[in-house]
Each structure stands twice: as structure tokens, then as C-alpha cells.
Amino acid sequence: MLIQVNCSNCHAPLQLPPAANSICCVLCQAITLIADPRSLPLPLPSSSHQQQPLPSPYNHAPPGPPPQAHGRKRAVICGVSYKNTQYELNGCINDANCMKFLLVNRFMFPESSIIMLTEEETDPHKRPTKRNIRMALRWLVQGCQPGDSLVFHYSGHGSQQKDDNGDEVDGYDETLCPLDFESQGMIVDDEINATIVRPLPCGVKLLAIIDACHSGTVLDLPYLCKMDRKGRNVWEDHRPRSGMWKGTNGGEVISFSGCADDQTSADTSALSKITSTGAMTYSFIQAIEYGHATTYGNMLNAMRSNIRHVDEGGFVTSLLTMLLTGGSLGGRSRQEPQLTATEPFDVYNKPFSL
């Protein structure tokens, strides 16, 4: 039986194998020593006792922690506009606000169970810095129980970097760019997978909505749904050749992302006709509002169709990607939202749910 402990350095939750006297954290690489694993408290039986939730990693952060999650639904919503920089985006905070409105009013997420990370937040611990995003993601899965429904929405820049551990089919890791990425670095898909995918226990489901460039496999999930314009689909195996496990601890993770790993996502006013939004976030919400959220396959088709038929002039190139790659995006293909998951499933039979 696995025993849960906290990393001695970053306090991330770790699962200690039986009789082990140390464990290496996948996030910060620190070694946590256990004097005698037998001295650790055993999990309480679920039949007669309710297991106490582990303390939130935010307890180790500076003053100003986010609200405690309560109920069976919780979400982290992150919108990064990079205001007053050369990377500025116009629609990301709009995306975050629209996603919160959708979750609260359509899917009954309690407002107190949603962490918003945007530059509009006055609390410095709720700005979308690398540290705050990391801590929020740990909070999202901390102490989750069977029946919980979790959501991670990100709208901002995404990029790629050379894979250094051989777990990527295309040789590149996908990344998210926090507000302070120039000084603190990007958040790599390996870390995202280790933080919110691998620890997820049986009976818990997580939906990720990632509106960023190069975001197709940014959660490093094992399977990618390849779908053509007629809706025909097949699941592509993206499990690392090394055998490294990228799935969950029994839970279910499904991710909608803005585009394929080699594509860019648009920040545009062409869809709403009123204000700037991320093309993928707007299409995701519109698919739900127009009644297409019956199955995951119908959702994906509706999102792709909406983006495909928008006016050509509404799309913009990714300045960040151009700067990082030193090239032009003129010849790249139009963005197509992607669907990835921890396990293959029938996309036209599985109901969409939050």
C-alpha cells in the first residue's frame, strides 16, 4: 500500500512505496528521507472513518492563500496577458472571466472553489507567476476524493523546447509561459503531468482546457485523438518509448487544447465580433452554449468547425513563437483544437461532463 508524504523541500504530495526510506520529488528533485516508514500513519479505513484531507501546499506559501476547496468541484483558471511587454495578448483575461462565468453559472462550481490567476488580481499570490501557477496546480489535486470534478483552464502563450529525457515522440517538450517566464523560465509538460495527472486517484476526473500555442500534448497524456474533417477518428499512442508512466493513479484526465504541437493559437476579435478572446476558449464555450456538448466528439467537431469558418483576417500570428524560433509563421497550418486523454474511448458515445 502506498503511503502519502510531503516533499521536504517544496511540500508537493508524494506517494511512498512500501518499506522505502527515501523518495525523490519529481518537481524539485529533492530527496525526502523517511526514518522508519512503519512509523508513518496508515490510511484510515474508508468504511467507518472519513480520511482527513492532506494540508494544502498553500499553507507553506507566504500570507494570502487562496480559498479552501469545498464541495466536489474545484478549478484553477489562469489568464496571462503579459501587459506592457512585447508579448502582450488582448484576450486572455477575457477568456479567464468567461470561463469562470461558465463554470459557476452553467456547471455550478462554487465561486469559493475557483482560483483565478490574472494580472487583474490585487493579491500578489494570485498573479499568474510561475510560482503561483505551480502552487495552484498542486492545490487543485490536493486531497481529492472519488467523485471530484476538477478543471484547469489556461489562456496565454505556449512554446516548445528540446526534450531532454526522451519521452517525447517529436523530440520537443511543450511549455506554458507564466507572467515571469523571462526571469523564472517556462512550465514544462513533464512537470504539469507529474503535478496534476499522475497523482489523480480512481474516481476523480480532470478536464483541462489549454488555449495556447503548441499545446496539443501539453499535459503529456498517453493518447491523442486524430480526427479528420469528416469526424472520423483514431487514437494515436503517445506513450514514451522509454516506458515512463504518463497516466494517472486510476483517475481520468481529458484535455482540449487550442492546436497541435506544431501549430499556433489565435488571440482574435473575429469570433466574438465584440472583443478579443482566445479562439479556442471562445469556441469551447460557444459549443456548450449552442448545445453541442453532448459528447466529446461533437464538442471537438463544433470547436474546429467554428474556428475553420471564421474570417481569414481575424487571426494573428504568435509573436512569442516567432521570437523564440527566429522565423516566420506564414506557412504554418491553421490551428485545430486537439483532444488527448489518459485512456482511449469512443468519442461519440462518451457524454461530455464537468
Side-chain angles (χ1 to χ4, degrees):
M1 178 183 295
L2 297 176
I3 301 173
Q4 196 136 15
V5 299
N6 286 342
C7 171
S8 58
N9 180 53
C10 72
H11 308 287
L14 307 172
Q15 291 182 324
L16 185 73
N21 57 15
S22 66
I23 187 169
C24 178
C25 178
V26 295
L27 300 180
C28 69
Q29 306 302 313
I31 303 295
T32 299
L33 300 176
I34 309 297
D36 183 356
R38 292 170 296 180
S39 67
L40 291 172
L42 293 173
L44 295 174
S46 58
S47 58
S48 57
H49 298 84
Q50 184 175 3
Q51 186 173 348
Q52 294 298 313
L54 292 170
S56 168
Y58 271 106
N59 292 343
H60 306 285
Q68 291 289 326
H70 68 92
R72 287 180 169 256
K73 296 186 176 187
R74 68 180 84 164
V76 169
I77 299 175
C78 182
V80 198
S81 66
Y82 316 91
K83 192 173 181 179
N84 299 322
T85 74
Q86 59 184 325
Y87 311 117
E88 185 167 353
L89 294 171
N90 296 317
C92 296
I93 293 178
N94 289 335
D95 289 346
N97 291 332
C98 289
M99 187 59 65
K100 180 180 179 181
F101 185 88
L102 177 79
L103 294 181
V104 171
N105 293 281
R106 175 59 68 93
F107 295 101
M108 306 307 162
F109 276 64
E111 284 198 53
S112 56
S113 292
I114 298 176
I115 291 178
M116 289 281 287
L117 299 177
T118 74
E119 287 135 286
E120 289 187 340
E121 297 290 332
T122 56
D123 185 341
H125 304 293
K126 294 182 181 178
R127 290 175 64 79
T129 63
K130 184 174 184 178
R131 172 180 170 80
N132 289 344
I133 295 174
R134 280 174 155 179
M135 295 299 282
L137 291 180
R138 293 173 196 167
W139 169 88
L140 182 63
V141 299
Q142 187 80 33
C144 55
Q145 301 291 326
D148 287 354
S149 177
L150 315 177
V151 170
F152 171 44
H153 173 250
Y154 172 90
S155 179
H157 280 304
S159 190
Q160 290 180 303
Q161 64 185 38
K162 282 285 188 180
D163 171 35
D164 60 4
N165 61 2
D167 69 342
E168 294 285 347
V169 173
D170 62 358
Y172 288 91
D173 282 319
E174 284 65 51
T175 64
L176 301 181
C177 302
L179 180 60
D180 54 354
F181 76 92
E182 287 187 291
S183 60
Q184 299 302 313
M186 303 182 191
I187 301 176
V188 183
D189 53 8
D190 295 337
E191 177 179 340
I192 299 169
N193 182 275
T195 304
I196 63 174
V197 176
R198 272 183 268 175
L200 214 64
C202 185
V204 179
K205 61 181 181 182
L206 165 67
L207 178 70
I209 306 114
I210 311 296
D211 197 347
C213 297
H214 310 294
S215 55
T217 63
V218 76
L219 264 66
D220 258 3
L221 300 181
Y223 297 96
L224 169 70
C225 181
K226 301 290 287 186
M227 182 178 287
D228 65 19
R229 292 197 172 191
K230 294 183 178 179
R232 296 172 298 196
N233 67 93
V234 62
W235 286 95
E236 193 171 84
D237 191 341
H238 278 241
R239 288 176 293 180
R241 301 183 194 94
S242 64
M244 182 182 299
W245 177 243
K246 292 287 188 174
T248 66
N249 193 27
E252 176 185 75
V253 182
I254 296 173
S255 175
F256 286 106
S257 51
C259 60
D261 288 344
D262 63 347
Q263 294 177 331
T264 57
S265 290
D267 185 47
T268 178
S269 60
L271 287 161
S272 73
K273 309 296 185 184
I274 300 171
T275 187
S276 291
T277 63
M280 182 268 189
T281 299
Y282 186 89
S283 297
F284 176 86
I285 294 173
Q286 188 178 66
I288 293 171
E289 293 299 313
Y290 284 11
H292 299 299
T294 50
T295 66
Y296 288 90
N298 290 340
M299 277 285 292
L300 184 61
N301 273 320
M303 291 163 62
R304 287 184 168 188
S305 177
N306 192 30
I307 291 176
R308 193 178 300 135
H309 292 105
V310 75
D311 291 340
E312 192 73 26
F315 284 87
V316 296
T317 57
S318 166
L319 176 62
L320 177 62
T321 300
M322 292 177 68
L323 289 170
L324 291 174
T325 60
S328 168
L329 300 175
R332 286 181 179 265
S333 58
R334 172 70 57 83
Q335 76 176 93
E336 287 194 318
Q338 303 292 310
L339 177 67
T340 57
T342 46
E343 296 290 343
F345 59 88
D346 186 335
V347 297
Y348 293 114
N349 278 332
K350 186 178 181 65
F352 173 81
S353 64
L354 281 178

